[in-house]
Amino acid sequence: MWLLTALTAVAPMTWGTTYVVTTEWLPPDRPLLAATVRALPAGLLLVAAGRVLPRGAWWWKAAVLGTLNIGAFFALLFVAAYRLPGGVAAVLGAVQPLVVALLALPLLGTPLRARTLVLGGAGVAGVALVVLTDTARLDPAGVAAGVAATACMGTGVVLTKRWGRPVPVLAFTGWQLTAGGVLLLPVALVLEGLPATVTAGQVGGFLYLAVVNTALAYVLWLRGIGLLAADRVSFLGLLSPVVAAAAGWALLGQALGPVQLAGVVLALGSVVLAQRGPAPAAPGVAVARGRG
């Protein structure tokens, strides 16, 4: 179980590098294009590798999950990343365990535990200590995008648990990435268009996001959702802002003082304690078979 948790944790850890890559190595003012290039090539590659297409009701279920987990989430995430300091966007994302806990009550029948709420609040506080500064600006559109992105991902996690996984994880991930990419492509072309030039560094940034940050990360993430309790998976998302702060320190020369280090300890403590809590079985833990 701890090995599975560690592998699942690789996903949010790679997502923690998204802010640095977006601001340093991608074309400016192209959030929808970045989201599309991140999702669609990886999705088509995984669909080809999985060699299984959706059947019956899974056409619309894959479209819904692809919209929540990929299409809408990516677009909103990149809007938040472009319009907000990484710290503010990270704090908004840290609310996800609380969103999942609230949605799991009606959709999965999972009781709302005080322990989960306390650890969720501690996680948000820890992330805030790590990433927020006195000069952090609050752009209203960026804040709205960050909140909506968190709601989309949280809903996607719970619905993935509820519906299960009808095929191996490569194909299942490919369905969602492709659906999200197809949704994003026309919107990106109409609203943003293509940049006049693309540098070698920007190509490298796109490749990293598509291969490591998306294809590999989402295979591990969706596999973990299918085998771990929803609340445990959602707390792993707190690793993303911690890694983002570490990346800013290592690559951008940003300072990590005592307050930030205390926040790291608080956030990581919330993650570890959440993994040690009771984990009653929930619908969709096993791979679903024969669901139409």
Side-chain angles (χ1 to χ4, degrees), residues 67-232:
T67 299
L68 291 172
N69 289 330
I70 310 299
F73 174 69
F74 279 9
L76 293 167
L77 176 67
F78 278 105
V79 169
Y82 275 110
R83 300 184 68 95
L84 293 174
V88 176
V91 171
L92 297 175
V95 181
Q96 186 185 126
L98 299 176
V99 174
V100 169
L102 293 174
L103 291 176
L105 177 62
L107 294 179
L108 300 179
T110 304
L112 185 60
R113 298 182 177 86
R115 181 178 184 277
T116 300
L117 298 179
V118 170
L119 289 177
V124 174
V127 170
L129 290 175
V130 173
V131 297
L132 286 185
T133 65
D134 295 336
T135 59
R137 56 184 177 82
L138 296 179
D139 177 80
V143 170
V147 171
T150 301
C152 283
M153 176 61 93
T155 305
V157 168
V158 175
L159 286 180
T160 301
K161 290 293 297 183
R162 179 178 176 86
W163 290 340
R165 172 164 54 85
V167 293
V169 68
L170 284 182
F172 190 59
T173 306
W175 293 356
Q176 296 188 45
L177 289 172
T178 302
V182 168
L183 174 68
L184 287 166
L185 180 59
V187 180
L189 292 177
V190 170
L191 296 182
E192 295 180 354
L194 299 176
T197 60
V198 179
T199 66
Q202 291 168 351
V203 171
F206 281 131
L207 286 174
Y208 170 80
L209 289 182
V211 177
V212 177
N213 195 273
T214 302
L216 173 62
Y218 268 90
V219 166
L220 296 173
W221 182 250
L222 293 177
R223 181 173 179 267
I225 290 176
L227 298 173
L228 297 170
D231 57 346
R232 291 189 176 192

